Amino acid sequence: MADSYSGASPEANAAADGFFDDQTLKYLGVGLSSLVALGIVLLVLYILAVQVDYALIPTVLPQFINAYVLVLGIVVTASVLSVTSGIFVGLARVSKTSITSGISAAYVQFFRGTPLLFQIFVVYFGIPTLWPGTFPISNWGIPTAIIALTLNHAAYVGEAVRGGIGAVHDGQMEAARSLGMGYVQAMREVVIPQAWRNALAAVGNDQIILVKDTSLLTVIAVPELIQQFRDVNSATFDPWTPLVLVAIAYLSITIPMGRLVEYLENRADWGGESQ
């Protein structure tokens, strides 16, 4: 049967496409992705078999465990604070009050528009100089980490929440108000639950980025995972053994977080099939 648009048969169209027909592209994609995957697997196996000093691991493992626990504590604290704060930032961004929306917009612009490393330096070096007299906190690195990560990621969560609210149809608010709900009640019981579902993927992705952003804390001497790599590499001139430990530590946090986000997305997909 001739093609309804061009008047040519499917065979003629495939011949006209030449090398780039659907079937060829499919096999080309499978072949290239398989070659890349095989190359990565072989490289990893070579590193694990030849480059990693397994005799060194028992010596350095305790310090990596301590760093892992520290990173996990920072991540949990900053994640809870950034998501909570970000929800309020997102609500402020859609506020009908110009002052509230303007201040929240300025907050988002600053923390999205400047590097996280700059923000860490502002908190770590700048805030103590503003304190009258001697700064009362001696170990300022960990509080700096929590404050900087919270402020930075609250801005991204706030924008995700704002986008989620914007994706909720206006009729939802109108229907809630027609039932006698006030604005706050309608937002709390109708709009925000739907907005959270819309924003969940972006919020979850941001929290995974937060985990990786803890690597920047090495610049203020927080004894996190990258700092342990630097210490071990400087002492042994062996980069791959600590690098493998760092990779395992980060993946043990980010992979479960990714699965948790997928689970929450499936639970929030009211119209989809149960997973």
Side-chain angles (χ1 to χ4, degrees), residues 98-133:
S98 59
I99 295 177
T100 303
S101 61
I103 292 174
S104 61
Y107 170 86
V108 169
Q109 288 297 325
F110 177 82
F111 283 98
R112 289 202 310 172
T114 56
L116 176 57
L117 185 60
F118 165 79
Q119 296 161 22
I120 291 172
F121 284 160
V122 168
V123 177
Y124 187 72
F125 294 109
I127 288 181
T129 64
L130 301 177
W131 194 269

Side-chain angles (χ1 to χ4, degrees), residues 19-212:
F19 182 74
F20 293 104
D21 62 89
D22 293 344
Q23 198 73 2
T24 303
L25 284 175
K26 173 184 175 182
Y27 289 128
L28 181 63
V30 170
L32 287 176
S33 59
S34 299
L35 284 175
V36 171
L38 178 61
I40 293 173
V41 169
L42 291 175
L43 177 61
V44 171
L45 290 175
Y46 170 76
I47 291 171
L48 293 176
V50 177
Q51 297 295 324
V52 174
D53 182 3
Y54 291 95
L56 178 63
I57 292 178
T59 304
V60 301
L61 189 59
Q63 67 190 80
F64 275 92
I65 292 175
N66 291 335
Y68 178 83
V69 172
L70 175 62
V71 167
L72 198 58
I74 292 173
V75 166
V76 170
T77 305
S79 182
V80 170
L81 292 175
S82 64
V83 171
T84 304
S85 303
I87 292 173
F88 287 103
V89 171
L91 292 173
R93 292 281 282 123
V94 298
S95 172
K96 304 299 183 182
T97 305
S98 59
I99 295 177
T100 303
S101 61
I103 292 174
S104 61
Y107 170 86
V108 169
Q109 288 297 325
F110 177 82
F111 283 98
R112 289 202 310 172
T114 56
L116 176 57
L117 185 60
F118 165 79
Q119 296 161 22
I120 291 172
F121 284 160
V122 168
V123 177
Y124 187 72
F125 294 109
I127 288 181
T129 64
L130 301 177
W131 194 269
T134 304
F135 193 62
I137 303 175
S138 57
N139 186 10
W140 181 232
I142 294 176
T144 292
I146 294 171
I147 293 170
L149 290 171
T150 296
L151 292 174
N152 179 272
H153 287 273
Y156 289 94
V157 172
E159 282 299 280
V161 171
R162 182 191 65 81
I165 293 173
V168 177
H169 196 277
D170 292 341
Q172 297 291 316
M173 173 61 79
E174 295 171 1
R177 296 301 294 271
S178 69
L179 293 174
M181 293 185 184
Y183 177 80
V184 174
Q185 184 182 9
M187 287 292 291
R188 183 179 68 248
E189 297 185 11
V190 178
V191 176
I192 292 178
Q194 297 180 64
W196 181 249
R197 179 183 61 178
N198 297 333
L200 188 56
V203 172
N205 183 65
D206 177 73
Q207 296 308 295
I208 292 173
I209 294 173
L210 185 152
V211 176
K212 298 184 291 183

